[in-house]
Amino acid sequence: MSFSTTTIIPPRILLGKTTTTYNNNNNDAFTLTHVLLPQPLVRGSCSISLSRTSYIGFVSKFDQTCSSSSPIMEEKDDDQKKLNLFSKSEQEKDDYSKELDVAVRAVQMACSLCQRVQDTLISKTNHQVQSKDDNSPVTVADWSVQAVVSWILSECLGSENISIVAEEDVQTLSKSNASELLNSVVKTVNECLADAPRFGVQKPKSSLGTSEVLDIISRCNSTGGPSGRFWVLDPVDGTLGFVRGDQYAVALALIEDGEVVLGVLGCPNYPMRKEWLGYQHRYHRIVSKLTPPNSDSWNKGCVLYAKKGSGKAWMQPLLNVNKMFVWPNHAKQVFVSSIDNPALATFCEPVEKANSSHSFTAGLAHSVGLRKQPLRVYSMVKYAAIGRGDAEVFMKFARAGYKEKIWDHAAGVIIIQEAGGVVTDAGGCPLDFSKGLYLEGLDRGIIACSGASLHGKIIEAVDASWGSSSL
């Protein structure tokens, strides 16, 4: 009986291996090699933890670059089946695996931070809530998440490579009457970073001081543009939902030469089971109190992410309390819905009437044949709902004078697109992320759909009814 032999290709950093040869009753032999690899992928002062992983015969190029994706291989009947997040061909041509790994860990940490702050916020008086110039509430979580994400990106990818566009600045925190708020932010940031090893990132050697926290927040001062690479962060998207204990999101995207190349969307109150989405936050809190904290229940939340050109979008649960993050953390591929019948489709729209016309979207829904009640959800959770197949349409038509910010859309757009959906402005043109902080040149509004058929019908309806609108 003949059988092929395989060669172990060592990774760039090989910390040790043990080899065991097995024989069955027919004297057929195979070799199982245990390779000790660094895990997870980190840079700078980030830690490298060790894990023992089994290989049969082959170590991928992706593993040679010290990525922490699951590298298990199987060989059967001369065919190799790779149980990994990305295919070998994708790994060889990919330029963003390292950035995606770090970004997902950063968002996971940010969501954990937000959950702790939200639990405190909805159970105590809101002394931690401030008001920005546009009168939308801002909490300790906004600045704390911005500080944590800025710190992780800089430490793991090198501060010289990091440019960040983010919603918050340090002006409010730097005011003389903001000392209590600033102290809360510093305390929250240090508590989060102390938990960093659980996410595969080394914590700071000592707690960050006030000036250090202000410094890492102030690094997020990029203005974007058509060239170069920069990150876009919305630390707490849907702040009204956050302070009310409802839906919100942490959104992080990487833009290169004006195009979104990867996006990560953390949705701490969006359960893995979609049927819980429609329940009000009070019911969420009641059920969460009845649920053991270590259970794999719906209230865990989720993180969605995608890379440009992969044709795949993924969802993983939020890391549970006291568990270690192991990439890809039970990730599963998500797809947009296959429903193209408007009568069966669910459409999402913003909760707030201030920056979206509910009356116009209601008219469009009727003319297209959308019969279900709209799902009004705070934040980019609307993009997540379409990306994972829980809804089919998202429409937003802002009132005159309102300018859409790039951080409110970048991460969600790429997730829907890679999951198989379509996102454009109301004229059918792609959203332009190359003009700075805003989506300049936006034609009337934004339309996201699970498929081209629904998308085309809505575009036609907009054209037919726009002249009679008051927008």
Side-chain angles (χ1 to χ4, degrees):
M1 178 178 180
S2 63
F3 56 90
S4 59
T5 59
T6 57
T7 303
I8 297 292
I9 304 174
R12 187 166 54 192
I13 301 177
L14 183 60
L15 302 179
K17 66 179 181 179
T18 59
T19 303
T20 306
T21 301
Y22 297 88
N23 288 276
N24 61 17
N25 294 332
N26 296 323
N27 293 322
D28 298 328
F30 66 92
T31 298
L32 176 64
T33 299
H34 297 281
V35 181
L36 199 61
L37 287 176
Q39 183 179 354
L41 170 66
V42 287
R43 176 180 172 176
S45 63
C46 294
S47 67
I48 298 181
S49 59
L50 304 180
S51 65
R52 185 175 296 277
T53 308
S54 296
Y55 292 74
I56 297 181
F58 178 77
V59 179
S60 73
K61 182 177 179 180
F62 191 60
D63 299 317
Q64 294 178 46
T65 62
C66 303
S67 168
S68 52
S69 295
S70 173
I72 299 174
M73 303 294 298
E74 290 182 333
E75 184 180 58
K76 182 177 181 180
D77 298 329
D78 295 330
D79 291 327
Q80 291 182 326
K81 179 182 179 182
K82 186 165 188 177
L83 304 178
N84 207 333
L85 187 60
F86 306 109
S87 68
K88 181 181 175 184
S89 60
E90 286 176 316
Q91 295 163 17
E92 290 176 343
K93 66 183 181 182
D94 174 56
D95 293 326
Y96 305 108
S97 293
K98 176 172 63 176
E99 290 84 352
L100 182 64
D101 187 328
V102 173
V104 170
R105 293 172 196 270
V107 170
Q108 282 272 359
M109 286 183 64
C111 288
S112 177
L113 181 158
C114 287
Q115 286 179 319
R116 290 197 299 269
V117 174
Q118 190 185 50
D119 288 344
T120 301
L121 200 63
I122 62 181
S123 61
K124 297 181 180 180
T125 58
N126 291 3
H127 70 278
Q128 294 178 309
V129 179
Q130 299 292 312
S131 180
K132 293 191 294 189
D133 292 339
D134 61 0
N135 293 320
S136 62
V138 150
T139 69
V140 167
D142 282 287
W143 285 288
S144 299
V145 166
Q146 190 160 313
V148 166
V149 172
S150 174
W151 188 87
I152 292 174
L153 293 180
S154 295
E155 290 296 311
C156 295
L157 301 174
S159 58
E160 71 279 3
N161 301 319
I162 301 301
S163 176
I164 305 175
V165 174
E167 186 172 11
E168 309 303 336
D169 57 39
V170 296
Q171 293 180 3
T172 300
L173 287 178
S174 301
K175 293 179 180 178
S176 58
N177 62 349
S179 59
E180 183 181 1
L181 176 63
L182 178 56
N183 290 336
S184 294
V185 170
V186 173
K187 180 176 181 290
T188 303
V189 169
N190 281 311
E191 287 176 348
C192 181
L193 293 180
D195 199 33
R198 198 160 62 91
F199 298 86
V201 178
Q202 184 177 339
K203 63 183 180 182
K205 294 181 180 179
S206 60
S207 296
L208 302 183
T210 300
S211 60
E212 292 173 295
V213 170
L214 288 173
D215 178 63
I216 58 178
I217 294 176
S218 64
R219 292 178 198 169
C220 306
N221 58 2
S222 173
T223 56
S227 61
R229 174 185 287 199
F230 58 90
W231 295 86
V232 178
L233 170 66
D234 194 338
V236 179
D237 181 48
T239 315
L240 280 173
F242 179 83
V243 300
R244 294 172 182 174
D246 214 311
Q247 296 296 332
Y248 65 99
V250 178
L252 181 62
L254 179 60
I255 294 179
E256 191 165 54
D257 296 332
E259 291 190 69
V260 184
V261 296
L262 70 83
V264 185
L265 198 55
C267 307
N269 285 345
Y270 191 177
M272 298 287 284
R273 288 171 55 188
K274 69 179 182 179
E275 55 265 32
W276 293 103
L277 179 61
Y279 286 96
Q280 295 300 314
H281 63 278
R282 292 184 183 88
Y283 191 77
H284 278 243
R285 297 209 302 274
I286 293 171
V287 176
S288 65
K289 290 179 180 178
L290 300 175
T291 305
N294 60 347
S295 72
D296 294 326
S297 62
W298 59 269
N299 63 326
K300 184 182 293 185
C302 63
V303 174
L304 289 89
Y305 52 92
K307 294 186 303 177
K308 181 178 173 60
S310 67
K312 297 176 182 177
W314 301 86
M315 176 176 66
Q316 60 180 219
L318 286 189
L319 187 63
N320 213 339
V321 177
N322 298 324
K323 289 190 176 181
M324 298 293 293
F325 184 91
V326 179
W327 183 268
N329 189 35
H330 304 290
K332 66 176 184 178
Q333 190 174 351
V334 293
F335 306 88
V336 296
S337 167
S338 60
I339 293 175
D340 59 5
N341 181 351
L344 302 177
T346 298
F347 83 94
C348 303
E349 64 181 356
V351 176
E352 304 90 337
K353 295 181 180 180
N355 58 16
S356 180
S357 172
H358 288 176
S359 60
F360 184 67
T361 55
L364 283 177
H366 179 76
S367 63
V368 172
L370 298 170
R371 295 293 177 253
K372 291 186 176 182
Q373 288 295 313
L375 181 61
R376 289 175 180 163
V377 183
Y378 292 102
S379 81
M380 267 188 276
V381 168
K382 295 179 284 291
Y383 281 108
I386 295 176
R388 56 183 249 183
D390 295 347
E392 287 73 37
V393 178
F394 164 43
M395 297 184 286
K396 183 179 181 183
F397 297 91
R399 300 185 184 280
Y402 182 84
K403 299 178 71 173
E404 298 287 354
K405 296 94 170 174
I406 60 174
W407 53 73
D408 285 330
H409 302 281
V413 167
I414 192 170
I415 288 170
I416 287 181
Q417 290 174 337
E418 297 303 321
V422 183
V423 185
T424 70
D425 65 18
C429 296
L431 305 189
D432 187 352
F433 293 92
S434 69
K435 304 298 185 182
L437 303 181
Y438 301 98
L439 294 175
E440 302 287 358
L442 191 68
D443 188 346
R444 294 170 286 187
I446 295 174
I447 300 171
C449 291
S450 56
S453 176
L454 278 173
H455 184 265
K457 291 176 182 178
I458 295 174
I459 293 287
E460 291 177 0
V462 172
D463 290 338
S465 58
W466 186 259
S468 60
S469 75
S470 59
L471 296 173

